[in-house]
Amino acid sequence: MKLGAVIITMGNRPAELRALLDSVAAQDGDRIEVVVVGNGSPVPDVPAGVRTVELPENLGIPGGRNVGIEAFGPSGADVDALLFLDDDGLLPLTDTAELCRQAFADDPRLGIISFRIADPETGVTQRRHVPRLRAADPMRSSRVTTFLGGANAVRTRVLAEVGPLPGDFFYAHEETDLAWRALDAGWLIDYRADMVLHHPATAPSRHAVYHRMVARNRVWLARRNLPAPLVPVYLGVWMLLTLLRRPSGTALKAWFGGFREGWTTPCGPRRPMKWRTVWRLTRLGRPPVI
């Protein structure tokens, strides 16, 4: 199985990017072809053999990754699967690529693998980095309903069948949008605790656009993918959860602004999932209302 890797960068972490590229090059098995996308910025110096694409403007996380996918041919067809890795991450183990190859070879319906993210200093995996509701034990691998954007592997047949990441999302929930479409098409998603990406423990709210885009994209996610009766249930649950978390007044204002924007702006094509997919998600422990 031929693997490629897509890394997007803003050009502001050259040392971390180089360490990540070295860790990809150190993987056991066949060489992994790497494409680094400069998302509205020049790409720092990279080792020989690493391809680069420099975009004149920042297309956001999904837009930048989609450009990286197309660098491997339509829907990434030049390879069998793509690794998507954050530019400040690092693969501490050399067998991660081989584990990916074996997992995809063993299960032809496995479409996406979500890696475990661990802080390099403490080894701790944050609860939000375990893509399931029962997240208390990050060392337990399981079948899941979504995946982590900067630490995963996607079979390129999934992208060819269900389409790329939703570029208009820019940041937040683009992985869940792709995951729901993949599950609706019959693909499976696994969280693997033994496939590790080291990444500093940070809060997602460090991004200035976090609260607005989380809310806007949550609405878009529901409008695009859920059967009509579930849309108000899903969004009502998330509004309640947001209020219970007691964000600051500024954050709450941004959140409600984004929520309003999600209803008043185009969300892209609507393709509601089948009710049997809703049941599948429910059996996997995460019904699409939370």
Side-chain angles (χ1 to χ4, degrees):
M1 173 169 280
K2 188 175 181 181
L3 297 181
V6 173
I7 302 164
I8 59 173
T9 183
M10 299 290 290
N12 56 349
R13 293 189 280 240
E16 292 89 338
L17 174 62
R18 186 60 181 251
L20 170 62
L21 292 171
D22 289 344
S23 74
V24 173
Q27 291 297 299
D28 301 333
D30 294 339
R31 175 180 172 271
I32 300 171
E33 185 176 352
V34 180
V35 170
V36 178
V37 178
N39 213 356
S41 69
V43 176
D45 289 339
V46 296
V50 174
R51 288 195 287 155
T52 62
V53 180
E54 293 185 353
L55 303 177
E57 62 178 309
N58 182 358
L59 299 182
I61 294 173
R65 286 183 178 144
N66 286 342
V67 169
I69 292 168
E70 293 303 307
F72 288 93
S75 300
D78 293 346
V79 293
D80 299 302
L82 285 169
L83 310 180
F84 295 92
L85 306 169
D86 277 350
D87 69 339
D88 56 345
L90 183 140
L91 297 172
L93 306 174
T94 62
D95 64 349
T96 301
E98 283 289 82
L99 289 173
C100 284
R101 293 185 183 101
Q102 190 62 53
F104 284 129
D106 288 346
D107 189 345
R109 296 310 299 167
L110 178 62
I112 302 171
I113 302 171
S114 189
F115 302 166
R116 179 169 64 88
I117 294 178
D119 181 82
E121 299 295 329
T122 65
V124 171
T125 295
Q126 293 178 291
R127 189 180 183 92
R128 68 184 181 87
H129 284 152
V130 183
R132 59 177 180 246
L133 290 181
R134 295 176 180 174
D137 182 8
M139 301 306 293
R140 178 174 66 87
S141 299
S142 68
R143 196 135 278 173
V144 291
T145 63
T146 188
F147 64 100
L148 305 171
N152 67 80
V154 179
R155 196 190 292 264
T156 53
R157 281 179 53 205
V158 173
L159 301 170
E161 186 172 344
V162 308
L165 294 157
D168 288 344
F169 278 40
F170 197 84
Y171 165 79
H173 304 318
E174 64 272 6
E175 303 90 1
T176 300
D177 187 271
L178 177 59
W180 282 0
R181 285 182 282 128
L183 290 164
D184 199 45
W187 294 99
L188 303 172
I189 306 172
D190 279 353
Y191 166 72
R192 288 285 296 264
D194 56 339
M195 300 183 191
V196 182
L197 182 88
H198 275 175
H199 188 282
T202 55
S205 54
R206 70 191 187 279
H207 298 291
V209 296
Y210 172 77
H211 295 286
R212 171 181 152 248
M213 291 201 173
V214 160
R216 183 197 69 181
N217 292 358
R218 184 81 69 184
V219 177
W220 281 0
L221 180 68
R223 289 175 59 197
R224 285 164 57 94
N225 295 289
L226 290 181
L230 294 185
V231 172
V233 179
Y234 177 81
L235 295 176
V237 167
W238 278 104
M239 182 180 290
L240 178 61
L241 287 173
T242 299
L243 294 173
L244 289 174
R245 289 167 179 167
R246 303 180 68 180
S248 68
T250 301
L252 198 59
K253 182 179 179 181
W255 193 94
F256 275 106
F259 191 83
R260 188 181 310 110
E261 185 181 350
W263 285 107
T264 58
T265 55
C267 64
R270 173 168 165 75
R271 298 188 182 96
M273 67 178 65
K274 307 173 191 73
W275 282 105
R276 69 168 175 262
T277 304
V278 173
W279 176 235
R280 257 182 92 201
L281 291 167
T282 303
R283 285 191 302 145
L284 288 168
R286 189 149 196 167
V289 293
I290 189 168

